[in-house]
Amino acid sequence: QVQLVESGGGLVQAGGSVRLSCVASARAFSTMAMGWFRQAPGKEREFVAAVTLSGLSSKYADSLKGRFTVSMDHTKNTMYLQVSNLRPEDTAIYYCAAGPTIWLIATGSVDYWGQGTQVTVSS
């Protein structure tokens, strides 16, 4: 069983940046990639980005390219999401996920979910 624990959320001013972390407790045989999703109030959960455990390949939601950077430190079993130039519409719960490939994660085919970390952007 893989446990994912997110951290790094909080209240941030618009224009600022935040770095979220997700630590995986163990690596399941089928887990080869990790990713980030977010869910804003009143909206469905959406894919943000995914990265392979090696950190060599990544994928981003087309609508979010440019301000989001996903990375992986496989020595620490930790994935990061750096978000810059934050906007009020980035306010959401950000979830960590793990699955077989970055492509499957992007479709929502996820084996494990974290509990989420709240990011609130004030204007």
Short mmCIF file of all heavy atoms in Angstrom, two decimals, residues 25-57:
data_model
loop_
_atom_site.label_atom_id
_atom_site.label_comp_id
_atom_site.label_asym_id
_atom_site.label_seq_id
_atom_site.Cartn_x
_atom_site.Cartn_y
_atom_site.Cartn_z
N SER A 25 5.20 6.91 0.68
CA SER A 25 5.73 6.07 1.76
C SER A 25 6.45 4.86 1.24
O SER A 25 7.36 4.35 1.85
CB SER A 25 4.60 5.63 2.68
OG SER A 25 3.66 4.84 1.96
N ALA A 26 6.03 4.38 0.07
CA ALA A 26 6.65 3.19 -0.50
C ALA A 26 6.32 3.15 -1.97
O ALA A 26 5.45 3.87 -2.45
CB ALA A 26 6.13 1.93 0.20
N ARG A 27 7.01 2.32 -2.67
CA ARG A 27 6.76 2.22 -4.11
C ARG A 27 6.12 0.88 -4.42
O ARG A 27 6.72 -0.16 -4.20
CB ARG A 27 8.06 2.37 -4.89
CG ARG A 27 7.89 2.16 -6.39
CD ARG A 27 9.18 2.39 -7.11
NE ARG A 27 9.11 1.93 -8.49
CZ ARG A 27 10.07 2.07 -9.37
NH1 ARG A 27 11.20 2.66 -9.01
NH2 ARG A 27 9.93 1.61 -10.60
N ALA A 28 4.89 0.93 -4.90
CA ALA A 28 4.21 -0.28 -5.31
C ALA A 28 4.74 -0.73 -6.66
O ALA A 28 5.25 0.08 -7.43
CB ALA A 28 2.70 -0.04 -5.40
N PHE A 29 4.61 -1.97 -6.98
CA PHE A 29 5.17 -2.52 -8.21
C PHE A 29 4.65 -1.79 -9.43
O PHE A 29 5.37 -1.55 -10.39
CB PHE A 29 4.84 -4.01 -8.30
CG PHE A 29 5.34 -4.66 -9.55
CD1 PHE A 29 6.66 -4.98 -9.70
CD2 PHE A 29 4.47 -4.94 -10.59
CE1 PHE A 29 7.13 -5.57 -10.85
CE2 PHE A 29 4.92 -5.53 -11.76
CZ PHE A 29 6.26 -5.84 -11.88
N SER A 30 3.36 -1.43 -9.40
CA SER A 30 2.75 -0.81 -10.58
C SER A 30 2.93 0.69 -10.65
O SER A 30 2.54 1.32 -11.62
CB SER A 30 1.26 -1.13 -10.62
OG SER A 30 0.63 -0.58 -9.47
N THR A 31 3.51 1.29 -9.64
CA THR A 31 3.62 2.74 -9.59
C THR A 31 4.90 3.18 -10.27
O THR A 31 5.99 2.91 -9.78
CB THR A 31 3.61 3.25 -8.14
OG1 THR A 31 2.37 2.89 -7.54
CG2 THR A 31 3.77 4.76 -8.10
N MET A 32 4.75 3.83 -11.41
CA MET A 32 5.91 4.29 -12.14
C MET A 32 5.90 5.79 -12.37
O MET A 32 6.82 6.35 -12.94
CB MET A 32 5.99 3.59 -13.50
CG MET A 32 6.17 2.09 -13.40
SD MET A 32 7.71 1.64 -12.55
CE MET A 32 8.91 2.20 -13.76
N ALA A 33 4.82 6.43 -11.92
CA ALA A 33 4.71 7.87 -12.13
C ALA A 33 3.85 8.48 -11.04
O ALA A 33 3.09 7.78 -10.35
CB ALA A 33 4.08 8.16 -13.50
N MET A 34 4.00 9.77 -10.87
CA MET A 34 3.18 10.51 -9.90
C MET A 34 2.68 11.78 -10.55
O MET A 34 3.24 12.23 -11.56
CB MET A 34 4.01 10.83 -8.65
CG MET A 34 4.44 9.60 -7.88
SD MET A 34 5.51 9.98 -6.47
CE MET A 34 4.37 10.86 -5.40
N GLY A 35 1.64 12.31 -9.98
CA GLY A 35 1.07 13.50 -10.59
C GLY A 35 0.31 14.37 -9.61
O GLY A 35 0.14 14.00 -8.44
N TRP A 36 -0.11 15.53 -10.10
CA TRP A 36 -0.89 16.48 -9.32
C TRP A 36 -2.23 16.75 -10.00
O TRP A 36 -2.29 16.90 -11.22
CB TRP A 36 -0.14 17.81 -9.19
CG TRP A 36 1.08 17.75 -8.33
CD1 TRP A 36 2.37 17.59 -8.74
CD2 TRP A 36 1.12 17.83 -6.90
NE1 TRP A 36 3.21 17.57 -7.66
CE2 TRP A 36 2.47 17.73 -6.51
CE3 TRP A 36 0.16 18.00 -5.90
CZ2 TRP A 36 2.89 17.78 -5.18
CZ3 TRP A 36 0.56 18.05 -4.58
CH2 TRP A 36 1.91 17.94 -4.23
N PHE A 37 -3.24 16.81 -9.17
CA PHE A 37 -4.56 17.24 -9.60
C PHE A 37 -4.98 18.39 -8.68
O PHE A 37 -4.40 18.59 -7.64
CB PHE A 37 -5.58 16.11 -9.47
CG PHE A 37 -5.41 15.00 -10.48
CD1 PHE A 37 -4.36 14.10 -10.37
CD2 PHE A 37 -6.29 14.86 -11.54
CE1 PHE A 37 -4.19 13.08 -11.29
CE2 PHE A 37 -6.14 13.84 -12.47
CZ PHE A 37 -5.08 12.95 -12.34
N ARG A 38 -6.01 19.11 -9.09
CA ARG A 38 -6.56 20.13 -8.20
C ARG A 38 -8.07 20.19 -8.36
O ARG A 38 -8.61 19.85 -9.41
CB ARG A 38 -5.94 21.49 -8.47
CG ARG A 38 -6.34 22.13 -9.81
CD ARG A 38 -5.65 23.48 -9.97
NE ARG A 38 -6.12 24.18 -11.16
CZ ARG A 38 -5.69 25.38 -11.53
NH1 ARG A 38 -4.78 26.02 -10.79
NH2 ARG A 38 -6.16 25.96 -12.60
N GLN A 39 -8.72 20.61 -7.29
CA GLN A 39 -10.17 20.76 -7.31
C GLN A 39 -10.53 22.09 -6.68
O GLN A 39 -10.32 22.29 -5.47
CB GLN A 39 -10.86 19.61 -6.58
CG GLN A 39 -12.38 19.65 -6.72
CD GLN A 39 -13.02 18.35 -6.26
OE1 GLN A 39 -12.44 17.56 -5.54
NE2 GLN A 39 -14.24 18.11 -6.72
N ALA A 40 -11.05 22.98 -7.49
CA ALA A 40 -11.49 24.28 -7.02
C ALA A 40 -12.92 24.17 -6.48
O ALA A 40 -13.65 23.25 -6.85
CB ALA A 40 -11.43 25.30 -8.16
N PRO A 41 -13.32 25.09 -5.63
CA PRO A 41 -14.69 25.04 -5.07
C PRO A 41 -15.74 25.01 -6.17
O PRO A 41 -15.72 25.83 -7.09
CB PRO A 41 -14.78 26.34 -4.26
CG PRO A 41 -13.37 26.66 -3.90
CD PRO A 41 -12.54 26.20 -5.06
N GLY A 42 -16.62 24.04 -6.08
CA GLY A 42 -17.71 23.93 -7.04
C GLY A 42 -17.32 23.39 -8.40
O GLY A 42 -18.16 23.38 -9.32
N LYS A 43 -16.09 22.93 -8.54
CA LYS A 43 -15.64 22.41 -9.82
C LYS A 43 -15.15 20.98 -9.69
O LYS A 43 -14.89 20.50 -8.58
CB LYS A 43 -14.53 23.29 -10.39
CG LYS A 43 -14.97 24.70 -10.73
CD LYS A 43 -13.87 25.46 -11.45
CE LYS A 43 -14.35 26.84 -11.86
NZ LYS A 43 -13.28 27.59 -12.60
N GLU A 44 -15.02 20.31 -10.82
CA GLU A 44 -14.51 18.95 -10.82
C GLU A 44 -12.99 18.94 -10.65
O GLU A 44 -12.31 19.91 -10.96
CB GLU A 44 -14.89 18.24 -12.12
CG GLU A 44 -16.38 18.02 -12.29
CD GLU A 44 -16.71 17.19 -13.51
OE1 GLU A 44 -15.78 16.91 -14.29
OE2 GLU A 44 -17.89 16.83 -13.69
N ARG A 45 -12.50 17.82 -10.17
CA ARG A 45 -11.06 17.65 -10.04
C ARG A 45 -10.44 17.64 -11.44
O ARG A 45 -10.96 16.98 -12.34
CB ARG A 45 -10.75 16.36 -9.30
CG ARG A 45 -9.31 16.20 -8.91
CD ARG A 45 -9.09 14.91 -8.10
NE ARG A 45 -9.84 14.90 -6.87
CZ ARG A 45 -9.70 13.95 -5.94
NH1 ARG A 45 -8.83 12.97 -6.12
NH2 ARG A 45 -10.44 13.99 -4.85
N GLU A 46 -9.34 18.36 -11.61
CA GLU A 46 -8.69 18.41 -12.91
C GLU A 46 -7.21 18.05 -12.81
O GLU A 46 -6.56 18.32 -11.79
CB GLU A 46 -8.83 19.81 -13.53
CG GLU A 46 -8.12 20.92 -12.79
CD GLU A 46 -8.12 22.24 -13.54
OE1 GLU A 46 -8.39 22.25 -14.77
OE2 GLU A 46 -7.83 23.27 -12.90
N PHE A 47 -6.71 17.48 -13.87
CA PHE A 47 -5.31 17.11 -13.96
C PHE A 47 -4.45 18.36 -14.11
O PHE A 47 -4.79 19.28 -14.84
CB PHE A 47 -5.11 16.19 -15.16
CG PHE A 47 -3.67 15.95 -15.52
CD1 PHE A 47 -2.87 15.16 -14.72
CD2 PHE A 47 -3.12 16.52 -16.66
CE1 PHE A 47 -1.54 14.94 -15.04
CE2 PHE A 47 -1.81 16.31 -17.00
CZ PHE A 47 -1.01 15.52 -16.19
N VAL A 48 -3.31 18.37 -13.40
CA VAL A 48 -2.39 19.49 -13.49
C VAL A 48 -1.10 19.07 -14.19
O VAL A 48 -0.71 19.65 -15.20
CB VAL A 48 -2.06 20.05 -12.10
CG1 VAL A 48 -1.00 21.15 -12.19
CG2 VAL A 48 -3.32 20.57 -11.41
N ALA A 49 -0.43 18.06 -13.64
CA ALA A 49 0.86 17.64 -14.19
C ALA A 49 1.22 16.27 -13.66
O ALA A 49 0.71 15.84 -12.62
CB ALA A 49 1.96 18.65 -13.83
N ALA A 50 2.12 15.59 -14.37
CA ALA A 50 2.60 14.28 -13.93
C ALA A 50 4.07 14.14 -14.32
O ALA A 50 4.54 14.78 -15.27
CB ALA A 50 1.76 13.16 -14.54
N VAL A 51 4.76 13.27 -13.59
CA VAL A 51 6.19 13.07 -13.84
C VAL A 51 6.53 11.62 -13.54
O VAL A 51 5.94 10.99 -12.66
CB VAL A 51 7.03 14.04 -12.97
CG1 VAL A 51 6.82 13.77 -11.48
CG2 VAL A 51 8.51 13.97 -13.32
N THR A 52 7.48 11.08 -14.30
CA THR A 52 7.94 9.72 -14.03
C THR A 52 8.80 9.70 -12.76
O THR A 52 9.33 10.73 -12.35
CB THR A 52 8.76 9.18 -15.20
OG1 THR A 52 9.85 10.09 -15.46
CG2 THR A 52 7.90 9.06 -16.46
N LEU A 53 8.91 8.54 -12.16
CA LEU A 53 9.70 8.43 -10.93
C LEU A 53 11.16 8.76 -11.18
O LEU A 53 11.87 9.18 -10.26
CB LEU A 53 9.57 7.03 -10.34
CG LEU A 53 8.18 6.66 -9.81
CD1 LEU A 53 8.23 5.28 -9.14
CD2 LEU A 53 7.65 7.69 -8.84
N SER A 54 11.63 8.59 -12.40
CA SER A 54 13.00 8.97 -12.74
C SER A 54 13.15 10.48 -12.86
O SER A 54 14.26 11.00 -12.80
CB SER A 54 13.41 8.32 -14.05
OG SER A 54 12.64 8.87 -15.13
N GLY A 55 12.02 11.16 -13.06
CA GLY A 55 12.06 12.60 -13.27
C GLY A 55 12.40 13.02 -14.67
O GLY A 55 12.49 14.21 -14.97
N LEU A 56 12.56 12.05 -15.57
CA LEU A 56 13.03 12.38 -16.92
C LEU A 56 11.92 12.80 -17.87
O LEU A 56 12.17 13.47 -18.87
CB LEU A 56 13.79 11.18 -17.51
CG LEU A 56 15.06 10.79 -16.78
CD1 LEU A 56 15.70 9.58 -17.43
CD2 LEU A 56 16.05 11.96 -16.76
N SER A 57 10.69 12.38 -17.58
CA SER A 57 9.57 12.72 -18.45
C SER A 57 8.45 13.34 -17.64
O SER A 57 8.21 12.93 -16.50
CB SER A 57 9.05 11.48 -19.18
OG SER A 57 10.04 10.95 -20.03
#
